[in-house]
Amino acid sequence: MRIISKKTLREFWKIHADAEQPLKAWHAKAKLAEWKTSNDIKNDYRNASFVANNRIIFNIKGNTYRLVVAINYDFGIIYIRFIGNHKDYDKIDTTTI
């Protein structure tokens, strides 16, 4: 999968150092993945949550942080839409971010 953009993840872990290794691990796995459907993601990430508009929510670092992505399955592209703690996550609408 092509991930747009790793820079967002890097900027986050510069502030939240404890998220660096979990985000690098997620990025490495997602980059090598060939997700064609939500079931493919569920096979790799059982705790992933799916919401409208092809948004997927991943728990990062034991659910300390939430990563919201949008996926275009046809083109194999993952768009990073949000990364943050639960307090910040509660302020967003995952279906439109």
Side-chain angles (χ1 to χ4, degrees):
M1 304 290 291
R2 183 173 172 211
I3 302 169
I4 301 173
S5 129
K6 187 175 183 179
K7 178 182 177 186
T8 304
L9 301 179
R10 264 191 253 113
E11 289 173 355
F12 185 79
W13 76 54
K14 283 182 184 177
I15 298 167
H16 305 277
D18 62 329
E20 182 174 359
Q21 290 309 315
L23 286 171
K24 283 182 175 180
W26 176 88
H27 185 274
K29 189 169 189 173
K31 186 175 180 179
L32 295 175
E34 294 183 16
W35 296 328
K36 300 292 184 195
T37 68
S38 58
N39 286 334
D40 295 336
I41 295 170
K42 272 293 190 187
N43 288 335
D44 288 339
Y45 292 95
R46 294 178 56 195
N47 292 326
S49 300
F50 298 84
V51 294
N53 297 325
N54 287 331
R55 300 299 200 270
I56 298 94
I57 303 159
F58 295 93
N59 298 322
I60 303 296
K61 194 184 176 279
N63 204 20
T64 301
Y65 303 107
R66 295 271 175 97
L67 172 64
V68 179
V69 304
I71 293 189
N72 183 318
Y73 293 103
D74 293 335
F75 292 100
I77 300 174
I78 299 171
Y79 301 92
I80 306 294
R81 306 302 299 151
F82 170 85
I83 178 71
N85 61 32
H86 285 271
K87 183 179 176 185
D88 295 332
Y89 172 82
D90 289 340
K91 296 176 186 176
I92 66 167
D93 178 355
T94 57
T95 63
T96 58
I97 193 164

